[in-house]
Amino acid sequence: MALIEVVDDLKVTPITGVVGAYIEGADLVQWLEDTAGPDRLRELLFTYGVIAIRDQSLSPVQHKAIGEIFGPLHTHPFAVNMPEHPEILVLETTKMNKVLKWHADASFEAAPPLASFLYAFEVPPVGGDTLFTSAQAAYEGLSPEWQQRLEGLRAVHSSTATFGPKGTYKRHWDKPRHEHDDVENFHPIVHTHPYNGRRGLYVNSQFTVAIEGMDPAESQWLLEFLWDHIASIQFQCRVNWEPGTLTIWDNRAVQHAAVPDWSEGRRFMQRVTVIGPPIE
Ligand SMILES: O=C(O)CCC(=O)C(=O)O
Ligand SMILES: [Fe+2]
């Protein structure tokens, strides 16, 4: 991974040798107008997997327009959305709901999110970072024998444990969720990134529940092995937030988890999410 790069006013600082970069000196509202802006943004995201872009000032309409560079917007079926902009998910993290497992967003969908655009308005004075891990580096870190063994396997991803009537988030958010049925879909365990062609793992501990056609005990064992492997420290980076940071992550390349380590202050963010092609 490249070292710090400064081109014109744009400063790109990789976070680790594997994944993630901080971006300074980018005015995304201006990039929406520039003919080269969308390509620049795509290239940064698909190179680093996660980019934390500092000092943005975005209206909801501009936030959505940045997402639309990458594809059609996803409206989350269960989370709290802005009434005037249902494609914007409102994330007000409190002590009650701040525990999250490693995941790729809404992987239970038939065509799951390609990228997520989380924009911070308020962050706690200390703590409240987000962890990311490269599920592509994790795939590349498996032995050829294990890569071969996983080929052709599919796993089922389900919204139920998280957003169902007894789910983790059912307790904390007021919005009635019974208007939607639980969502379940199968995806290959190993897939190819639709834009950069890298192979990666696509199972996560939040939404993946079983491997298709496998004995339940073996399926659970293999999923736990893969979850632990994906969460290995050498594949991770950690993003520190400031008000005005827009962090964009590629759900087809990385997984993420919020760090529940803060108690002072408020953490208020809004997320736009973009649908991608099927996982293949
Ligand atoms: O709160 C965070 O840092 C991340 C929450 C999350 O998983 C998301 O917005 O997709
Ligand atoms: Fe998430």
Side-chain angles (χ1 to χ4, degrees), residues 229-240:
H229 176 68
I230 291 166
S232 301
I233 49 179
Q234 71 270 28
F235 307 134
Q236 292 184 26
C237 76
R238 185 174 188 121
V239 166
N240 178 251

Side-chain angles (χ1 to χ4, degrees), residues 245-261:
T245 300
L246 175 74
T247 300
I248 311 179
W249 60 86
D250 176 349
N251 286 292
R252 306 300 180 85
V254 302
Q255 295 183 12
H256 58 283
V259 184
D261 67 343

Side-chain angles (χ1 to χ4, degrees), residues 115-131:
S116 301
F117 304 71
L118 187 60
Y119 180 46
F121 290 87
E122 267 186 76
V123 298
V126 184
D129 293 350
T130 306
L131 294 178

Side-chain angles (χ1 to χ4, degrees), residues 80-156:
V80 177
N81 299 323
M82 267 177 99
E84 325 79 81
H85 298 278
E87 312 91 335
I88 297 185
L89 183 157
V90 179
L91 195 78
E92 187 167 6
T93 326
T94 66
K95 275 185 201 167
M96 293 299 290
N97 68 5
K98 67 185 176 185
V99 178
L100 271 182
K101 295 181 181 175
W102 286 106
H103 63 284
D105 286 327
S107 68
F108 50 79
E109 298 277 33
L114 169 67
S116 301
F117 304 71
L118 187 60
Y119 180 46
F121 290 87
E122 267 186 76
V123 298
V126 184
D129 293 350
T130 306
L131 294 178
F132 292 86
T133 190
S134 169
Q136 295 176 324
Y139 174 75
E140 290 156 8
L142 289 171
S143 65
E145 291 75 21
W146 267 110
Q147 290 179 345
Q148 187 60 39
R149 175 72 186 89
L150 298 175
E151 210 55 52
L153 292 180
R154 297 198 313 162
V156 63

Side-chain angles (χ1 to χ4, degrees), residues 6-59:
V6 183
V7 180
D8 299 328
D9 288 334
L10 189 74
K11 184 175 174 196
V12 179
T13 309
I15 304 175
T16 71
V18 171
V19 69
Y22 288 109
I23 313 287
E24 292 162 274
D27 175 356
L28 294 187
V29 173
Q30 184 58 45
W31 285 27
L32 284 170
E33 306 294 320
D34 294 348
T35 42
D39 278 345
R40 244 176 153 186
L41 199 56
R42 272 189 283 267
E43 180 168 354
L44 285 168
L45 182 62
F46 297 141
T47 302
Y48 292 100
V50 50
I51 48 178
I53 308 169
R54 298 296 193 201
D55 305 317
Q56 301 305 300
S57 174
L58 304 175
S59 68

